[in-house]
Amino acid sequence: VIDEVDVMLDLGFRHQLINIFDILPQRRQNIMFSATMTEEVDSLIDDFFILPSKIAIEISGTRLDNIDQQCYSVPNFYTKVNLLAHLLSDKEIFSKVLIFVSNKKNADKVYELLEEMYGSQMGIIHSNKSQNYRFRSVEQFDEGINRILIATDIMARGLDIDEITHVINFDTPTFPENYMHRIGRSGRAEKQGRSILFYTEKEEPLKEAIESLMNYSIPFVDFPSEVEISSELVPEEKPKVIESTNRNLKKITEEKAFHKKKEKNTKTNQGGSYLRKKKIYKNPKTRGDKNMKKRRK
């Protein structure tokens, strides 16, 4: 029995699962639970299952009516941080906030940028943290010691924490189903929940995919005028410039020049230097001509 198999594959545990399959008997019953049917899950089924039966408990993308959803259009990463800091300043409304960031690197960066303002109220959790650290972060958030928890999708499912007032999607998830799992951390046990989505122009197609899955348009909220719009960009947001010193570009240019030269080279093989030199002189027609050439040499 494998639970949350899609997450295990996302986190890179395919090799470990294959090792387990190799140890088990050939004749066995496999049961896998997955909230999303990704390509990796389908690949695992094709490799290790024989005539599997698929059972769907609920239609994927069913919108949760007890969760109020909002979205902000934000130009870049650092402006997202400024907006997040602005929202978190209201401690009464945002009393227990779970913030989802797309990857570990960005999660650490968001934590560092907010640490000066909210360090004593904030925790962080992702797969690079030790198990004890992760347990402690979740425990402090659950007990209300910390009102803010920054997390990757490692927290998107499997954990039931009470009284989460807001789920903030700092990044728009690549897979629409992950959005459903994220916001499902709020509004537990039929209580009212709230979710907020930040998206950039580049992430807008991902947002549209989420709305298509839910068959619902997430209500748009105007960007607060008091929040500073940053012009600073992270490396991923900067336009890519191909430099002339690029080794790969130089290699391609050389290859093209070589092929062009090769097409022009229509000369036939004339043999070695001896043969080319020999063809310069005509064969002597008479004995006198032959003796004349000898005297010239």
Side-chain angles (χ1 to χ4, degrees):
V1 178
I2 308 170
D3 193 19
E4 305 289 4
V5 65
D6 52 339
V7 178
M8 294 184 73
L9 293 174
D10 286 342
L11 295 175
F13 291 118
R14 180 183 173 87
H15 183 69
Q16 286 83 344
L17 288 175
I18 292 173
N19 287 342
I20 293 171
F21 286 144
D22 289 340
I23 295 170
L24 295 174
Q26 289 295 317
R27 291 180 61 82
R28 62 176 184 266
Q29 182 183 23
N30 301 314
I31 303 175
M32 296 197 305
F33 294 93
S34 175
T36 55
M37 289 300 295
T38 63
E39 292 180 4
E40 290 81 4
V41 175
D42 281 333
S43 175
L44 194 71
I45 291 172
D46 291 339
D47 291 342
F48 296 100
F49 283 54
I50 301 172
L51 300 175
S53 299
K54 296 181 182 179
I55 302 171
I57 303 300
E58 188 174 1
I59 299 173
S60 179
T62 303
R63 186 170 68 88
L64 304 175
D65 294 328
N66 61 325
I67 299 177
D68 294 329
Q69 302 180 53
Q70 296 179 337
C71 64
Y72 288 88
S73 176
V74 191
N76 52 51
F77 177 89
Y78 285 102
T79 306
K80 283 184 179 181
V81 174
N82 294 341
L83 176 59
L84 181 59
H86 170 74
L87 296 176
L88 294 175
S89 63
D90 192 334
K91 296 181 181 180
E92 291 185 8
I93 295 178
F94 293 84
S95 58
K96 197 169 188 177
V97 186
L98 179 57
I99 303 166
F100 282 106
V101 187
S102 61
N103 56 61
K104 296 172 283 189
K105 179 184 174 183
N106 284 351
D108 285 331
K109 188 177 291 186
V110 171
Y111 183 87
E112 290 169 6
L113 292 170
L114 295 177
E115 190 173 15
E116 186 175 346
M117 290 179 282
Y118 303 110
S120 60
Q121 311 166 40
M122 195 167 54
I124 182 171
I125 176 173
H126 56 65
S127 59
N128 271 8
K129 302 295 182 183
S130 68
Q131 190 170 12
N132 288 337
Y133 186 95
R134 296 199 299 267
F135 283 154
R136 187 167 62 252
S137 296
V138 172
E139 187 178 333
Q140 290 175 344
F141 182 64
D142 191 21
E143 294 175 356
I145 298 172
N146 292 333
R147 72 179 180 99
I148 304 165
L149 182 62
I150 298 171
T152 56
D153 281 320
I154 196 173
M155 276 284 293
R157 59 188 85 174
L159 291 174
D160 187 10
I161 298 176
D162 294 330
E163 308 297 337
I164 293 178
T165 60
H166 292 79
V167 170
I168 297 179
N169 291 273
F170 185 89
D171 296 311
T172 307
T174 304
F175 295 105
E177 293 87 354
N178 283 356
Y179 174 81
M180 305 295 296
H181 301 312
R182 289 179 177 187
I183 68 173
R185 299 307 98 195
S186 180
R188 310 291 286 182
E190 299 182 356
K191 292 183 180 179
Q192 195 65 25
R194 294 177 180 84
S195 74
I196 298 173
L197 172 69
F198 296 168
Y199 70 95
T200 62
E201 184 180 355
K202 186 178 179 181
E203 293 172 320
E204 191 165 0
L206 301 177
K207 168 186 160 297
E208 291 171 354
I210 292 168
E211 292 175 328
S212 176
L213 177 68
M214 296 189 299
N215 194 24
Y216 173 74
S217 295
I218 304 172
F220 181 82
V221 181
D222 291 331
F223 192 86
S225 58
E226 59 269 31
V227 176
E228 180 186 355
I229 297 178
S230 175
S231 59
E232 187 178 357
L233 301 176
V234 293
E236 294 81 7
E237 295 171 333
K238 293 178 181 177
K240 294 181 180 179
V241 179
I242 301 176
E243 299 178 3
S244 58
T245 55
N246 188 312
R247 292 182 180 178
N248 292 331
L249 184 63
K250 187 178 179 182
K251 184 178 178 182
I252 292 168
T253 306
E254 287 175 351
E255 286 177 355
K256 286 183 177 178
F258 171 75
H259 289 302
K260 191 174 182 182
K261 185 178 178 182
K262 188 176 180 181
E263 289 171 4
K264 286 186 175 182
N265 187 8
T266 57
K267 293 180 180 180
T268 56
N269 187 359
Q270 301 296 318
S273 60
Y274 171 75
L275 291 175
R276 287 198 299 272
K277 197 171 184 180
K278 183 178 179 182
K279 290 178 183 178
I280 293 172
Y281 305 105
K282 295 180 180 179
N283 293 327
K285 294 181 179 180
T286 64
R287 187 178 180 87
D289 291 337
K290 189 174 181 180
N291 292 333
M292 180 65 72
K293 286 185 178 182
K294 283 182 180 181
R295 286 196 294 271
R296 285 178 182 174
K297 289 181 181 180

